[in-house]
Amino acid sequence: DMKVTQMPRYLIKRMGENVLLECGQDMSHETMYWYRQDPGLGLQLIYISYDVDSNSEGDIPKGYRVSRKKREHFSLILDSAKTNQTSVYFCASSFRQGSAETLYFGSGTRLTVL
Amino acid sequence: KTQVEQSPQSLVVRQGENCVLQCNYSVTPDNHLRWFKQDTGKGLVSLTVLVDQKDKTSNGRYSATLDKDAKHSTLHITATLLDDTATYICVVGDRGSALGRLHFGAGTQLIVIP
């Protein structure tokens, strides 16, 4: 069963603390993404990874960094979290076969920064 | 400026009724358009992908249309069930590869009541 797994599901941190959000996929997909979802807004791309150690900034990378040392794992790191980083974070992976690309999303991590 | 606008913002229908969700966009180029279903507290699940200039797809009780000239898509849900209660998200891809960007709408919240 194809799956994108995010850990943890819920996280509460204080402002200034470091945050690590983890994402794993069991499909050997090359491309992975980190998005955040805020009320009334569409998902916003934070970072995209094309493969191990091949990462690119998305539309809102400020305050975040990522790490991809293995194809199946993609981590999102917040160094010194801020209250405006309270959000739901989604990881996704994609697979291309011919002209068709399929996206798989994790269930999200709800981060609250106090 | 929001490039993908969905309407209505929310919709309440009775079980068994049909409904239509709208998506207007200004994304250029518009390579493809996807509809996702997001259950509360869960990730996005793909319903359908539309690619052609004037395209139609069908997936069980879900059917969708795309008119690239009008930059407009609709998602029709026939004979709604209580399990159709979710947020439906329209996403426009500006290229056909992982290098392209996905532009997300804020979603339409559908509530199906008995």
Side-chain angles (χ1 to χ4, degrees):
Chain A
D1 194 24
M2 298 184 173
K3 210 169 177 182
V4 176
T5 304
Q6 290 186 239
M7 294 292 290
R9 288 299 313 276
Y10 301 92
L11 188 59
I12 299 175
K13 287 286 193 177
R14 293 198 181 278
M15 195 167 59
E17 290 184 331
N18 298 334
V19 178
L20 173 65
L21 304 184
E22 309 221 60
C23 175
Q25 47 103 354
D26 58 3
M27 301 166 276
S28 294
H29 289 172
E30 292 178 353
T31 307
M32 297 186 72
Y33 311 78
W34 275 107
Y35 290 93
R36 64 178 281 175
Q37 185 178 40
D38 298 296
L41 297 178
L43 271 71
Q44 297 174 272
L45 179 65
I46 305 171
Y47 267 94
I48 183 170
S49 174
Y50 298 106
D51 211 332
V52 171
D53 285 330
S54 178
N55 307 318
S56 289
E57 294 181 347
D59 299 319
I60 52 162
K62 188 177 178 185
Y64 304 94
R65 61 184 175 93
V66 292
S67 174
R68 188 147 180 225
K69 297 301 181 187
K70 293 183 180 179
R71 180 172 281 187
E72 60 268 25
H73 289 130
F74 190 33
S75 301
L76 181 69
I77 301 126
L78 289 65
D79 295 316
S80 187
K82 299 173 181 51
T83 54
N84 63 8
Q85 292 177 308
T86 292
S87 187
V88 182
Y89 291 87
F90 284 98
C91 175
S93 69
S94 68
F95 167 69
R96 169 165 291 276
Q97 189 168 28
S99 60
E101 186 176 22
T102 307
L103 277 167
Y104 297 87
F105 280 84
S107 296
T109 293
R110 185 175 291 274
L111 172 67
T112 302
V113 182
L114 302 175
Chain B
K1 186 183 181 297
T2 303
Q3 294 193 67
V4 181
E5 300 274 3
Q6 292 188 243
S7 61
Q9 237 178 351
S10 62
L11 180 62
V12 180
V13 299
R14 289 201 180 276
Q15 184 177 354
E17 292 181 342
N18 303 332
C19 65
V20 182
L21 283 56
Q22 313 280 352
C23 177
N24 289 288
Y25 63 91
S26 58
V27 177
T28 299
D30 49 350
N31 178 271
H32 63 274
L33 186 146
R34 304 169 186 262
W35 282 95
F36 286 90
K37 178 185 180 187
Q38 184 180 25
D39 291 318
T40 301
K42 297 286 178 66
L44 282 68
V45 175
S46 182
L47 294 175
T48 191
V49 179
L50 301 119
V51 178
D52 296 334
Q53 195 71 17
K54 292 194 194 300
D55 205 355
K56 287 184 182 181
T57 61
S58 184
N59 178 10
R61 294 181 298 103
Y62 299 102
S63 60
T65 66
L66 172 62
D67 182 345
K68 287 189 177 181
D69 293 331
K71 291 190 179 293
H72 177 72
S73 176
T74 60
L75 178 68
H76 299 246
I77 306 176
T78 305
T80 52
L81 303 172
L82 297 179
D83 282 349
D84 291 332
T85 293
T87 298
Y88 292 83
I89 297 175
C90 173
V91 183
V92 180
D94 61 20
R95 259 191 285 180
S97 70
L99 296 174
R101 284 285 190 262
L102 297 177
H103 303 264
F104 289 77
T108 291
Q109 185 180 21
L110 173 66
I111 298 171
V112 181
I113 60 174

